[in-house]
Amino acid sequence: MRVAGTVRVPGDKSISHRSLILASLADGESRIRGILEADDTRSTAEVLRGLGVLIPALAADMKINGVGLRGLRASRAALNCGNSGTTARLMAGVVAAHPFSSTFEGDASLSRRPMKRVAEPLTYMGARFDFESGDGLPMTVRGADLRSIDWDTGGSSAQVKSAILLAGLIAGVEVRVAEKTPSRDHTERMLRAMGVDIENDRNQVCLRPTRRLTPIEIDVPADPSSAAFFIALAALADEGELRLTKVGVNPTRSGFLQAMKRMGADITETVAGRKGGESTATLRVRPKKLRGIRITEDEIPFLIDELPLIACVAAGAGIDLEITGAAELRVKESDRINSVVQNLQAVGAQAEELPDGLRVSGQRRDLSGTIDPRGDHRIAMAFGVLSAVTGNGITIINPESVAVSYPGFWQDLRRVAA
């Protein structure tokens, strides 16, 4: 396989969600360029519309007139989050501080994902949560006047942290959140850019009360989790070079790049700029022989979304890989540990599950067969990369699942890989 060309992957999904939410809560007009136009972000936009915000159709250049920190109104219908866990968890924090009840629902996959992790701290702050079954969706949040909180998550979750920060922001109370390892900090960066007094100190973040959010103008960087698929593609190629432009290089999202460099990948970065608290870079990637690595618990928060792809890179390169401390993968859009291992085995790779991770045994071979991503967009794209490697013949069931985060993935893949 030869790679060639330039790819500008879609806007960062995490930043796109947050820009929609925070622009809606600002006093005045915000401008967002480069937002991710995909199913997950449309879910967030639709939930905000249900709560009374006039969100236009998602577009490359859009404006949102915010309603202020306490300007949302109760929805007459359940708020449908589709497949988006970020929508459900972050918006739970938002509505928890409002004096009305909101019911969240989602598709079958999202309905199985745990919500207790956000319900616990928000309940402590004074909100009430009702679940129809277990701790998944449907979920009803009964908002209240919330009190201050000093919460230790016991792990590392940007969604839990952000839900608490948003609840404290709207309630006008100080909140502190401690984590085992710092999670991605897009919420803090955007809040700071909008005038909020928020401080990160190693593994702890503190938000102090504010009366208003200043409108923001933001250029959403290209999503590093989407760029990762093309970094992997170029690293596994036989020849050529790929150029990826305006990729977000937030330090809390750098784990995949660091892991690939440890594998020996040939990646160069040229810093492009900084706006809205986020930096971007142009990445150039060339093929190079890779070597095996181990990924342990401390690294997981910085590359949690890219772990299925790293497993496919190891299988494609014929190198040893061991991942531990990643039990969180079992409660993503699918049980990603089980899904990755079973699908790798289905195409002839040597892989095995661990309780909190997986192991791939190195031996380069042509891989062929049919894989089922179980509706998980990241699994589909990871095996899409593996299918492009010379000698492989892999068929992917329901490839349209990529629409959740990267609707144009298959077109971009065909354009740059020959």
Side-chain angles (χ1 to χ4, degrees):
M1 171 186 60
R2 183 180 190 277
V3 292
T6 298
V7 182
R8 205 298 192 181
V9 302
D12 186 285
K13 185 152 75 81
S14 294
I15 295 174
S16 294
H17 282 299
R18 288 157 174 80
S19 65
L20 287 169
I21 294 169
L22 293 179
S24 297
L25 298 173
D27 280 341
E29 184 180 85
S30 295
R31 185 174 187 178
I32 307 167
R33 299 185 187 89
I35 197 166
L36 171 64
E37 298 176 49
D39 290 351
D40 270 13
T41 44
R42 290 190 186 97
S43 292
T44 292
E46 195 58 36
V47 165
L48 289 163
R49 291 185 191 110
L51 294 166
V53 187
L54 298 177
I55 304 283
L58 300 190
D61 190 346
M62 60 185 291
K63 296 177 181 178
I64 295 175
N65 284 301
V67 298
L69 289 176
R70 304 281 288 186
L72 299 181
R73 63 172 186 261
S75 174
R76 295 180 179 180
L79 301 169
N80 192 339
C81 302
N83 186 248
S84 177
T86 301
T87 304
R89 295 187 179 118
L90 268 61
M91 289 306 301
V94 170
V95 301
H98 282 81
F100 52 73
S101 297
S102 304
T103 297
F104 294 88
E105 61 184 21
D107 68 10
S109 171
L110 179 59
S111 297
R112 292 191 296 269
R113 296 175 66 183
M115 296 294 155
K116 183 179 179 181
R117 59 182 67 184
V118 292
E120 283 185 340
L122 296 175
T123 298
Y124 180 88
M125 294 177 75
R128 287 173 51 208
F129 283 73
D130 297 323
F131 296 95
E132 289 189 12
S133 177
D135 71 337
L137 301 186
M139 167 183 77
T140 297
V141 184
R142 306 186 189 280
D145 289 328
L146 304 183
R147 57 177 173 266
S148 179
I149 190 174
D150 189 339
W151 189 262
D152 188 334
T153 66
S156 178
S157 170
Q159 293 180 359
V160 174
K161 176 178 65 175
S162 296
I164 297 170
L165 293 175
L166 291 170
L169 170 74
I170 296 166
V173 299
E174 180 171 302
V175 294
R176 294 178 181 270
V177 185
E179 300 183 287
K180 188 174 183 179
T181 304
S183 61
R184 58 184 63 176
D185 63 356
H186 300 303
T187 302
E188 298 98 300
R189 287 172 181 261
M190 197 174 297
L191 285 170
R192 196 173 293 118
M194 299 176 80
V196 177
D197 183 1
I198 187 166
E199 179 183 356
N200 290 81
D201 181 15
R202 289 175 292 185
N203 293 15
Q204 181 172 276
V205 58
C206 175
L207 177 144
R208 298 179 180 87
T210 189
R211 292 188 176 184
R212 65 186 296 271
L213 272 185
T214 303
I216 192 171
E217 184 169 319
I218 184 168
D219 292 319
V220 180
D223 195 321
S225 294
S226 295
F229 297 106
F230 292 93
I231 294 169
L233 181 76
L236 291 170
D238 301 310
E239 58 180 327
E241 174 184 293
L242 281 186
R243 182 172 174 265
L244 299 156
T245 60
K246 295 186 178 180
V247 179
V249 288
N250 182 304
T252 62
R253 301 282 296 282
S254 65
F256 177 77
L257 277 177
Q258 299 309 315
M260 290 298 294
K261 288 177 180 178
R262 282 168 51 209
M263 285 181 173
D266 182 356
I267 305 170
T268 58
E269 300 178 42
T270 304
V271 176
R274 180 183 177 89
K275 195 166 187 178
E278 300 285 351
S279 298
T280 62
T282 294
L283 307 178
R284 292 180 181 273
V285 192
R286 302 175 183 86
K288 192 173 180 182
K289 184 175 175 60
L290 304 180
R291 56 180 174 267
I293 62 169
R294 294 182 69 244
I295 295 175
T296 56
E297 184 177 9
D298 289 347
E299 302 169 71
I300 299 302
F302 304 107
L303 43 56
I304 185 70
D305 287 338
E306 293 81 31
L307 289 173
L309 175 60
I310 291 174
C312 286
V313 169
I319 58 176
D320 292 332
L321 170 72
E322 184 177 273
I323 298 172
T324 55
E328 173 74 11
L329 284 179
R330 293 200 182 274
V331 290
K332 287 289 188 178
E333 283 85 336
S334 63
D335 178 344
R336 285 181 172 163
I337 293 173
N338 177 265
S339 180
V340 168
V341 169
Q342 287 203 354
N343 280 312
L344 284 175
Q345 291 173 344
V347 297
Q350 294 184 357
E352 62 178 304
E353 287 189 49
L354 304 176
D356 60 348
L358 57 84
R359 185 180 292 119
V360 178
S361 300
Q363 183 177 357
R364 178 67 184 103
R365 64 182 71 186
D366 292 344
L367 304 173
S368 63
T370 298
I371 72 104
D372 182 0
R374 305 176 189 174
D376 191 320
H377 57 126
R378 298 201 191 278
I379 302 293
M381 289 186 281
F383 279 88
V385 169
L386 195 55
S387 73
V389 174
T390 301
N392 291 350
I394 298 172
T395 300
I396 298 164
I397 296 173
N398 297 325
E400 63 275 6
S401 61
V402 303
V404 165
S405 63
Y406 195 161
F409 173 75
W410 300 112
Q411 294 94 314
D412 284 345
L413 183 66
R414 286 192 294 268
R415 179 171 59 83
V416 301

